[in-house]
Amino acid sequence: MGAVYFYHLTRQPLEHTLPVLLDKARQAGWRIAVRGTDPARMDWLDEKLWLGPEEGFLPHGRAGGPHDAAQPILLTTGPDAANDASCVMTVDGAEVAPEEVSALERVCILFDGNDDRAVQHARGQWKALTGAGCSAQYWSEESGRWEKKAEA
């Protein structure tokens, strides 16, 4: 049974934090689906990942291409990732079901701590997922480094 980790972004933006988490997930040997809600935003993330440092390049692709199943990291707006992901990272309030948490190695929910709506949405996700029996951790970078602040 997997776990869901909530990442409360307050100091570093998504385009900085996401590659760090993707790299850690790849080091764990996981295939990853990055799930968002807006195709244009996923295109923006795709561009940011392509423009990252060469030595830390993260092989990835956008869902809907001919090689989705071969992608180690697949950026998508849908719930079904064709790359057989064992880790799902959600951004911009994308939904995740308790059944997914149970079926995956890890679910990461990244949310913007400077956006009150995003914070409220993440709180609702925490309540729904922990209420359904999912193991969860809440991580904050408020102090300048990542610290676990809560666990359920």
Side-chain angles (χ1 to χ4, degrees):
M1 180 174 191
V4 58
Y5 285 36
F6 288 76
Y7 291 94
H8 189 163
L9 309 179
T10 55
R11 292 184 173 254
Q12 296 292 332
L14 176 64
E15 64 269 23
H16 178 275
T17 304
L18 182 62
V20 173
L21 293 174
L22 289 170
D23 185 51
K24 288 183 183 294
R26 292 287 298 140
Q27 288 177 26
W30 298 337
R31 297 172 76 73
I32 306 117
V34 178
R35 182 183 304 160
T37 58
D38 177 24
R41 175 82 157 160
M42 300 311 287
D43 288 341
W44 177 82
L45 277 175
D46 179 40
E47 182 178 323
K48 292 295 182 188
L49 291 174
W50 278 108
L51 296 175
E54 190 174 320
E55 67 277 359
F57 177 72
L58 295 164
H60 69 282
R62 284 281 282 121
H67 306 289
D68 286 1
Q71 297 295 343
I73 301 169
L74 187 65
L75 282 66
T76 183
T77 56
D80 299 319
N83 69 337
D84 194 29
S86 50
C87 175
V88 169
M89 296 189 184
T90 69
V91 299
D92 301 333
E95 294 297 331
V96 61
E99 300 78 30
E100 287 181 279
V101 175
S102 298
L104 295 164
E105 293 288 332
R106 177 84 40 90
V107 170
C108 300
I109 296 175
L110 289 76
F111 63 99
D112 183 350
N114 301 308
D115 178 342
D116 288 336
R117 285 182 33 199
V119 171
Q120 292 306 317
H121 184 74
R123 285 182 180 151
Q125 287 179 301
W126 174 275
K127 287 179 184 177
L129 293 170
T130 58
C134 296
S135 173
Q137 294 183 10
Y138 165 72
W139 291 80
S140 172
E141 64 176 346
E142 206 170 31
S143 70
R145 63 181 187 85
W146 286 104
E147 295 178 333
K148 182 169 48 170
K149 298 286 192 170
E151 190 167 6

